[in-house]
Amino acid sequence: MRELQLSAAGALRPPAQVLVLGARESHRHGSAGHAVRGPPSRLVAPAASLPAGGNREIPPPTGRLPSASPARRAPCKDCQVIMKVLLLKDPEEDDCGQDPYIRELGLYGLEATLIPVLSFEFLSLPSFSEKLSHPEGYGGLIFTSPRAVEAVELCLEKDNKTKVWRKSLKEKWNAKSVYVVGNATASLVNKIGLHTEGENCGNAEKLAECICSRESSALPLLFPCGTLKREILLKMLKDRGIPVESLTVYQTIPHPGIQGNLNSYYSQQGIPASITFFIPSGLTHSLKHIQGYLVTTLTRLRCSSQHPWGVRTVSVV
C-alpha cells in the first residue's frame, strides 16, 4: 500500500504510510493549508439543505463528478491503477460548482471520495435573531466559522426577516466592522450582503491582533460561535480591553451516517491509498470507525498537520 503525501510546495508525491493532514476547523469548510487546495474526481456525499429542526446532516454517499480533462491531468508516477483517496470532510462547492479538492486531486489522476464525519446542531437561534435585529447595540460582528454564518441565515428564514435584512439591517451592520477568519467564511458572509475584514489573517489569534489594531468602539462585538471555539480570540480581546459578547449558536456532533458511509465505501472501493482528516473533531469522531478496516493492512496512522493541534501518531490497534 502506498501513501499520498503533500509536499510544502503543493506537489503530490507517493510515500509509505497513510498520511493524515489536518486543516483549520474554520471552515466550511475553510482552507486546508497551503499544501493542497483542490480535490479529486468522485463525490460521495452531496451537501444537503438545512432541515427545519436546525440540524444539519449530510445524506449517504451518492453521485460522481466528471474527472479532470486528460490534457491537464498529470500521470500518477509508479501507479498501474488509479490511486484512491478518502477525504473525511463535508463537500464544498467553489465557483465552478465542484469541490476544490475533488478537482485539484483529479488533475493528478487521483480518485477521491468525500465522506462527512460531522453534523451540526444549531442552538439559541431566537436569542441570536433578536441580537441581529439590534445592530445599534454592537460595534460589529465576528465570524470564525461557516456554521455561524449559516446560523444567521436560519434566523432570517425562521423569523421571516429576510426582507427587513435586505432593506435595512444589512446596511446597518455594514456601517460597522464585520471580522472573519478565512476566505471560505468570508465568501459566505459576502453572500448575505456583508462586507468583511480580516479574512486573510488565517487563524483566530491573528484575527484578534487585527481587531486590536483597528477596533475603537466602546460597544461590544457580537461573536456567534460553536461549542468548540478556541478561547484565544476572546482572551486576547479581553486583555486589550475590547468588549465582546459571545453567543453559542451551534454544537458539533458526530455525523449519524459515518459508519454506513464507510461500510459502503470499503465494500465498493476497498482500502484507500490515503485517508485525510481535516479538523481535530473530525479525527475524534471518525477514528474509531476506521480502525477496524485498517488494522488488517496497517499498523498505524501517522497524522501530520499544519493546524495548531500539531503532529501526532495515532495507533489503530
Side-chain angles (χ1 to χ4, degrees), residues 80 99 152 205 266 284 306:
Q80 300 300 317
D99 184 278
V152 173
E205 184 174 0
Y266 287 124
T284 300
Q306 297 173 9

Side-chain angles (χ1 to χ4, degrees), residues 6-17:
L6 306 181
S7 69
L12 300 175
R13 53 189 176 86
Q17 293 180 336

Side-chain angles (χ1 to χ4, degrees), residues 27 34 37 55 94 103 118 135 169 173 181 203 207 252 255 281 308 314-315:
H27 297 179
H34 64 274
R37 292 199 54 188
N55 290 335
D94 58 14
R103 184 183 63 255
L118 300 177
L169 286 179
W173 281 112
V181 169
N203 57 46
L207 179 64
T252 304
H255 191 282
S281 54
V314 182
S315 174

Side-chain angles (χ1 to χ4, degrees), residues 3 15 33 47 52 67 76 99 120 155 210 234 240 250 268 273 277 310:
E3 169 199 62
S67 58
C76 181
D99 184 278
F120 303 94
C155 288
C210 172
L234 290 173
R240 295 289 294 271
Y250 70 91
Q268 298 176 30
F277 298 90

Side-chain angles (χ1 to χ4, degrees), residues 225-245:
C225 55
T227 52
L228 300 180
K229 69 181 182 299
R230 295 184 66 207
E231 297 295 333
I232 184 65
L233 186 145
L234 290 173
K235 183 180 185 304
M236 290 181 65
L237 295 181
K238 180 180 179 181
D239 291 346
R240 295 289 294 271
I242 297 176
V244 181
E245 183 178 321

Side-chain angles (χ1 to χ4, degrees), residues 141-154:
L141 286 161
I142 301 176
F143 292 104
T144 58
S145 75
R147 253 63 59 189
V149 188
E150 291 176 13
V152 173
E153 295 174 329
L154 282 175

Side-chain angles (χ1 to χ4, degrees), residues 137-191:
Y138 298 95
L141 286 161
I142 301 176
F143 292 104
T144 58
S145 75
R147 253 63 59 189
V149 188
E150 291 176 13
V152 173
E153 295 174 329
L154 282 175
C155 288
L156 298 180
E157 292 171 4
K158 285 188 173 184
D159 296 339
N160 297 317
K161 291 183 177 179
T162 303
K163 289 184 178 180
V164 68
W165 174 265
R166 293 174 179 172
K167 184 176 180 180
S168 61
L169 286 179
K170 178 182 67 175
E171 294 308 317
K172 290 180 180 179
W173 281 112
N174 271 329
K176 304 172 182 294
S177 298
V178 180
Y179 298 102
V180 300
V181 169
N183 291 322
T185 301
S187 177
L188 293 176
V189 174
N190 294 154
K191 286 181 180 179

Side-chain angles (χ1 to χ4, degrees), residues 12-147:
L12 300 175
R13 53 189 176 86
Q17 293 180 336
V18 172
L19 177 70
V20 187
L21 291 180
R24 286 183 290 273
E25 186 150 5
S26 61
H27 297 179
R28 173 166 179 20
H29 305 148
S31 164
H34 64 274
V36 65
R37 292 199 54 188
S41 60
R42 186 169 182 271
L43 178 63
V44 160
S49 59
L50 291 170
N55 290 335
R56 180 180 173 281
E57 299 180 355
I58 306 297
T62 56
R64 175 185 296 269
L65 291 176
S67 58
S69 169
R72 297 180 58 198
R73 177 179 294 177
C76 181
K77 295 182 179 180
D78 302 324
C79 293
Q80 300 300 317
V81 296
I82 295 177
M83 290 180 65
K84 298 182 184 297
V85 181
L86 178 58
L87 308 178
L88 299 181
K89 67 180 287 290
D90 283 0
E92 300 175 35
E93 287 189 4
D94 58 14
D95 294 338
C96 300
Q98 190 177 46
D99 184 278
Y101 284 88
I102 295 289
R103 184 183 63 255
E104 184 73 14
L105 291 176
L107 300 179
Y108 290 87
L110 304 171
E111 181 179 349
T113 297
L114 303 177
I115 292 182
V117 295
L118 300 177
S119 186
F120 303 94
E121 183 178 29
F122 290 90
L123 312 168
S124 307
L125 294 184
S127 177
F128 186 33
S129 179
E130 179 66 19
K131 294 177 187 299
L132 287 173
S133 298
H134 296 283
E136 67 278 2
Y138 298 95
L141 286 161
I142 301 176
F143 292 104
T144 58
S145 75
R147 253 63 59 189

